[in-house]
Amino acid sequence: DAGTMPKAAMQYQDTPKGKAQCSICAQFIAPHSCKVVAGNISPNGWCIAFAPKS
Ligand code: SF4
């Protein structure tokens, strides 16, 4: 399922933060969702809840 946190609250951006981006985050749900943040999420995005996949 998709997350419930507003993008703004999580400082979501549609671009990577250095090497950190949604496609390598443990919270990402391909192709365009996230367990934390609501809405359409880019694989190339980033937010403050980023946590790399183990
Ligand atoms: Fe979701 Fe943020 Fe991880 Fe992107 S970086 S997948 S928006 S938790």
Side-chain angles (χ1 to χ4, degrees), residues 5-12 37 48:
M5 293 296 292
K7 287 181 176 180
M10 304 309 287
Q11 298 174 34
Y12 174 82
V37 181
I48 58 172

Side-chain angles (χ1 to χ4, degrees), residues 3-54:
T4 57
M5 293 296 292
K7 287 181 176 180
M10 304 309 287
Q11 298 174 34
Y12 174 82
Q13 60 189 44
D14 276 329
T15 52
K17 186 84 159 184
K19 292 181 178 175
Q21 61 181 60
C22 297
S23 63
I24 59 166
C25 178
Q27 318 292 359
F28 187 62
I29 305 169
H32 294 297
S33 299
C34 171
K35 293 176 186 173
V36 177
V37 181
N40 189 56
I41 302 298
S42 170
N44 301 318
W46 174 89
C47 86
I48 58 172
F50 175 80
K53 286 180 189 171
S54 52

